Every structure is written in C-alpha cells, then in structure tokens.
Amino acid sequence: MKRRLCLITGASAGIGAEFARQYAALGWNLALTARRADRLETLAAELTAAHGIEAHVFAGDLADPAAPARLVAALDGKGLEVDALVNNAGYGLPGTFFSTRWEDQAAFLQVLYTAPVELTHRLLPGMAARGFGRIINVASLAGYAAGSAGHTLYASVKAGLIKFSESIEAECNALGHTDIHCTALCPGFTWSEFHDVNGTRETTNKMPKWLWMDAAPVVQAGIDAVNRGKPVVVPGAANKTLATLTRILPEPWGRAMVRAQSSRYRKL
C-alpha cells in the first residue's frame, strides 16, 4: 500500500525534527523543508535508514513570499501528494515594535502566519480530492495570554493560528470532509533551539523546570489530537492549567500577570 506523505516546515531542529521522527516511526514518507539543507539531509538519511521510508528535502526560506508556491510546485514536480501538513517553522523576533525594522516584522508575519495559511490553502484541495488530510499548525500557549512588551507580534500571530485552525476544522466538517482535520498545537516552554535563536536562553534557564516539556510529548499530543479531529490541543498539565487561568481570570489581572513575568522570557 502506498505510504502517506507528511510535509513538515521548520524540520531541521526542535519540534519540527521531532515531528519528522514520529511520523517516520509511524511509517509515513516525509517532505522536509527549512533553510539549513545540511541538517535536513542528515535528518532525512537518519530516518530513511531507521524506518525504511522516503524522505525528500526541499531547502528554502519561507520569509520569501514566493516560497510557498515554489515549494508546492516542487512537490508536484516530483509527483508527491501531501497527506499531512505540519506548519511548524517559526522564531521569535526580540525587541519592541519601536526598535525593530518593518522589514523584519514583515518577514516574521510571512513565516509564522502567511506561509502556513497559504500552504494550507494550496494543499487542501488535493486532500479533499483524496478524502484524507491532516493539518497541524504549531501555535503557542502565548496565543491564549495577554500581549506583552517585546516580541510584539508573537502572541497575536499564535492567536490567529488558533482561530484559523478552528475555522478550517469547522469548514471541513460543514462540507462533509469527515477525514480531513486541522489542529492548533499550543505548547508552552519546550526544550529546543528556539530560545537560543531569539537570545532568551539565559533568562529562560532561570524559570522553574516544571514549566518545561520535551519535544516528544508535545509532538505526540499534536498527532493524537489531529487524528481525533480536535481543533486545539494544549499539551501538558501545567500548560492546560495556565490556559484555563487565562480564560477565567479578569482581563486586567491577566495583563498584569503577563507584565510582571514577561521580562523573564521576552527580550526588549
């Protein structure tokens, strides 16, 4: 039987690489994309040897507005049909809105929001035609919390991904696509390179260990949720508690709590 194919963005490290490992262990073929071709090639070779699957590498930068269309064209050119899409590529943009360049903010929006939405739009018709699809948008617990000073667009983009995922899941249900599901995965602090890249590793290392999760259970929660047709999932007991608090606390209290804590994980 033909193996299904999972396309993973930001697959060179962290949560993206863990998605690749878990889908390969489930017997899926992979299409891996990120900027660092050498890391993708190493991961593809590792997973091909370990699981006997096919792993295709497409190096590219989703900050380029033409990248999503180019990626889909490259997949089509190889005759690859995407059965699962994991929109994982992302990063934090340190500094305040006042101190950053618009070009950097625009690239941030392109990578973290526009590219996932465009890839979903381009790949959904094929999923619908084949009667099967899985889409996981890696959002964040930050999408539930009040906005903070620094990393200005991060929370708003992640909140947008949550609402987008809920809408796609609702539309699939309404249109009778009963085996196409979309889930927003909302992790909290997860051990990866993310905090090294955005320059907050030193401060986040001082945070309580119980706030942190390894990538493996985070990814497992996302895969389980999308297979069940659950539009949003928050992995981990601590993160679920924090997500619940954001809903029941009066909004001024929530904003005050974020203001008091944001300097520990946001770099101005």
Side-chain angles (χ1 to χ4, degrees):
M1 187 172 67
K2 182 180 177 182
R3 292 180 186 267
R4 297 196 185 278
L5 176 76
C6 179
L7 168 62
I8 303 167
T9 71
S12 61
I15 290 175
E18 182 60 29
F19 265 111
R21 292 188 177 96
Q22 292 199 25
Y23 268 109
L26 292 170
W28 287 58
N29 289 335
L30 303 173
L32 308 175
T33 187
R35 293 176 299 168
R36 296 175 288 190
D38 56 339
R39 289 201 176 192
L40 292 177
E41 295 286 1
T42 299
L43 180 61
E46 169 200 327
L47 297 179
T48 297
H51 302 290
I53 54 96
E54 295 180 3
H56 306 269
V57 168
F58 300 89
D61 188 353
L62 289 174
D64 179 356
R70 192 161 54 236
L71 174 58
V72 173
L75 289 160
D76 289 342
K78 286 181 172 286
L80 300 175
E81 297 175 336
V82 176
D83 300 298
L85 167 64
V86 178
N87 285 310
N88 166 74
Y91 58 96
L93 184 58
T96 65
F97 208 62
F98 295 86
S99 64
T100 51
R101 303 184 313 146
W102 171 246
E103 292 79 7
D104 294 332
Q105 296 288 356
F108 179 87
L109 288 170
Q110 171 64 33
V111 173
L112 275 82
Y113 193 76
T114 304
V117 171
E118 181 176 350
L119 286 171
T120 301
H121 190 270
R122 290 182 178 277
L123 295 173
L124 262 176
M127 294 178 179
R130 295 185 297 275
F132 179 91
R134 300 288 186 266
I135 300 166
I136 300 174
N137 293 314
V138 180
S140 172
L141 189 61
Y144 284 93
S148 67
H151 299 244
T152 319
L153 292 176
Y154 191 81
S156 59
V157 163
K158 296 303 186 180
L161 281 177
I162 293 170
K163 296 304 180 187
F164 173 66
S165 302
E166 289 175 329
S167 292
I168 293 299
E169 177 65 21
E171 288 184 11
C172 288
N173 287 334
L175 295 173
H177 299 305
T178 57
D179 208 9
I180 301 176
H181 298 301
C182 184
T183 293
L185 172 61
C186 301
F189 293 103
T190 306
W191 295 112
S192 72
E193 294 181 1
F194 179 88
H195 299 284
D196 300 303
V197 173
N198 69 20
T200 58
R201 173 61 63 197
E202 183 178 352
T203 54
T204 54
N205 278 347
K206 299 175 183 178
M207 300 181 71
K209 301 302 181 188
W210 57 266
L211 281 174
W212 291 85
M213 290 184 69
D214 291 326
V218 169
V219 167
Q220 184 65 64
I223 294 173
D224 288 347
V226 79
N227 286 335
R228 297 198 311 270
K230 188 175 181 180
V232 183
V233 61
V234 179
N239 293 329
K240 285 182 172 66
T241 300
L242 291 171
T244 300
L245 283 174
T246 64
R247 292 188 181 95
I248 63 176
L249 283 176
E251 289 184 7
W253 292 15
R255 286 191 286 269
M257 186 170 64
V258 168
R259 281 198 303 271
Q261 298 295 323
S262 63
S263 64
R264 302 179 67 181
Y265 54 90
R266 294 282 189 261
K267 187 175 181 180
L268 299 181

